């Protein structure tokens, strides 16, 4: 999920999924990962954790499932120099809240440490992109090759869709 790319707790295991709605599928495909373990779930404000932990508990494989009360947002307010590293992803135009200097994300193109999201440059797409200043200067400003091509050609009249067509082609739960 977006916020795991920006910040996480030290030593946390983070699922490589793009949306919270993919969580049940991730759990179902990885039940052995949770077998007999104590799982501590966290999210931005705690709301998705309520739903996510309830689903995980319903599978009956964990020793225990608990949540970070109030989410990461409350935690970093109370412990600004605590165990959370990176930036907190927020669901508004700020994209992130910074509480420390750690950078745990990287540029999607060159893999250099970088953690400033910007919208995909293709007008039809609503994905956020981690593209460092050097890559942006080179014109690498989109979430994928398809969007980059559309952004470069600046096609007019492209139908606006909720989700980028390249996102629909991506695996919901990557295997690598």
């Amino acid at each position: 999920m977006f916020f795991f790319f920006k910040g996480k707790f030290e030593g946390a295991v983070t699922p490589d999924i793009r949306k919270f709605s993919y969580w049940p599928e991730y759990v179902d495909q990885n039940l052995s990962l949770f077998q007999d373990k104590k799982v501590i779930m966290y999210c931005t404000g705690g709301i998705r954790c309520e739903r996510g932990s309830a689903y995980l508990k319903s599978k009956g494989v964990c020793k225990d499932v608990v949540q970070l009360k109030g989410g990461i947002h409350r935690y970093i307010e109370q412990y600004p120099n605590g165990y959370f590293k990176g930036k907190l992803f927020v669901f508004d135009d700020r994209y992130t809240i910074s509480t420390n200097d750690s950078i745990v994300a990287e540029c999607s193109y060159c893999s250099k440490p970088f953690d400033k999201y910007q919208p995909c440059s293709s007008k039809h797409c609503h994905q956020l992109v981690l593209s460092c200043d050097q890559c942006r200067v080179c014109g690498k400003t989109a979430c994928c090759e398809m969007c980059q091509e559309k952004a470069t050609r600046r096609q007019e009249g492209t139908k606006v869709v909720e989700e980028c067509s390249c996102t629909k082609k991506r695996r919901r739960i990557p295997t690598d």
Side-chain angles (χ1 to χ4, degrees), residues 22-31 34 55-56 59 173:
Y22 300 167
W23 173 248
E25 187 177 344
Y26 177 83
V27 169
D28 293 344
Q29 290 181 17
N30 294 282
L31 285 175
F34 302 104
Y55 187 81
L56 187 56
K59 296 299 174 178
I173 301 173

Side-chain angles (χ1 to χ4, degrees), residues 16-19 22 25 29 163 165-176:
D16 187 14
I17 56 177
R18 293 197 46 88
K19 295 180 173 185
Y22 300 167
E25 187 177 344
Q29 290 181 17
E163 194 171 49
S165 57
C166 64
T167 297
K168 291 179 183 177
K169 292 179 183 176
R170 289 185 188 132
R171 288 186 165 166
R172 288 169 58 97
I173 301 173
T175 55
D176 50 304

Side-chain angles (χ1 to χ4, degrees), residues 12 22 45 70 72 107 112 157:
Y22 300 167
I72 304 164
C107 174
K112 290 181 183 173

Side-chain angles (χ1 to χ4, degrees), residues 93-149:
D93 290 340
R94 295 173 295 169
Y95 303 130
T96 60
I97 297 173
S98 181
T99 61
N100 57 63
D101 294 333
S102 298
I103 297 176
V104 299
E106 59 185 37
C107 174
S108 301
Y109 290 96
C110 69
S111 300
K112 290 181 183 173
F114 188 78
D115 63 0
K116 295 180 183 122
Y117 275 123
Q118 294 187 7
C120 178
S121 58
S122 183
K123 290 182 180 181
H124 77 287
C125 183
H126 303 285
Q127 297 295 322
L128 294 175
V129 181
L130 287 169
S131 179
C132 72
D133 296 336
Q134 290 174 310
C135 289
R136 292 189 79 74
V137 167
C138 295
K140 297 175 180 175
T141 58
C143 66
C144 67
E145 290 179 25
M146 181 188 304
C147 284
Q148 188 66 50
E149 184 179 316

Side-chain angles (χ1 to χ4, degrees), residues 3-69:
F3 53 89
F4 292 139
F5 297 124
K6 299 292 289 185
K8 61 184 179 181
F9 283 96
E10 293 176 11
V13 175
T14 57
D16 187 14
I17 56 177
R18 293 197 46 88
K19 295 180 173 185
F20 175 73
S21 61
Y22 300 167
W23 173 248
E25 187 177 344
Y26 177 83
V27 169
D28 293 344
Q29 290 181 17
N30 294 282
L31 285 175
S32 62
L33 179 69
F34 302 104
Q35 189 70 44
D36 297 322
K37 299 223 173 99
K38 179 175 183 173
V39 177
I40 302 171
M41 295 188 68
Y42 64 92
C43 55
T44 304
I47 296 168
R48 284 183 313 281
C49 286
E50 290 284 337
R51 293 178 55 213
S53 63
Y55 187 81
L56 187 56
K57 285 177 185 177
S58 76
K59 296 299 174 178
V61 296
C62 299
K63 192 182 297 183
D64 193 14
V65 180
V66 297
Q67 323 168 86
L68 182 62
K69 186 176 180 180

